[in-house]
Amino acid sequence: MTAVAAVLAVVVSAQDPGAFEASFERGLAALAAGEYASAVESFEDALRIQPDHTQARFNLARALRELGEGAKALDQLLAIEDRMVD
């Protein structure tokens, strides 16, 4: 996602309080359907809106792992651990 798209996602989320929930739910549906690339995109969108949401980050890690992106998945899990330790 480009920097402009990321900024737009934040602006839209400020205008639409349901934006996080919609992205998160799309991610869950995609994960359940085995559409891992779509799940990654949806959870990343959700995390741009609420970066500290543990469940979204965990599910992002699950989808990344399914795509064979083990190192990226581990980074997400470590980010969760960092937040728990702080």
Side-chain angles (χ1 to χ4, degrees):
M1 177 175 273
T2 67
V4 172
V7 169
L8 286 174
V10 171
V11 170
V12 167
S13 70
Q15 295 172 350
D16 178 8
F20 169 81
E21 191 67 30
S23 293
F24 184 74
E25 291 297 325
R26 275 194 311 275
L28 290 176
L31 192 61
E35 298 172 1
Y36 303 117
S38 181
V40 166
E41 185 177 320
S42 294
F43 290 127
E44 286 176 341
D45 287 346
L47 287 165
R48 271 189 276 290
I49 299 165
Q50 288 188 27
D52 294 333
H53 196 277
T54 302
Q55 195 62 44
R57 194 162 299 281
F58 179 76
N59 286 322
L60 173 58
R62 289 177 56 203
L64 286 166
R65 184 196 68 212
E66 291 295 336
L67 289 172
E69 299 283 349
K72 290 181 182 179
L74 181 59
D75 287 344
Q76 295 303 317
L77 295 174
L78 291 173
I80 293 169
E81 181 182 46
D82 287 346
R83 283 184 175 82
M84 294 176 83
V85 172
D86 289 340

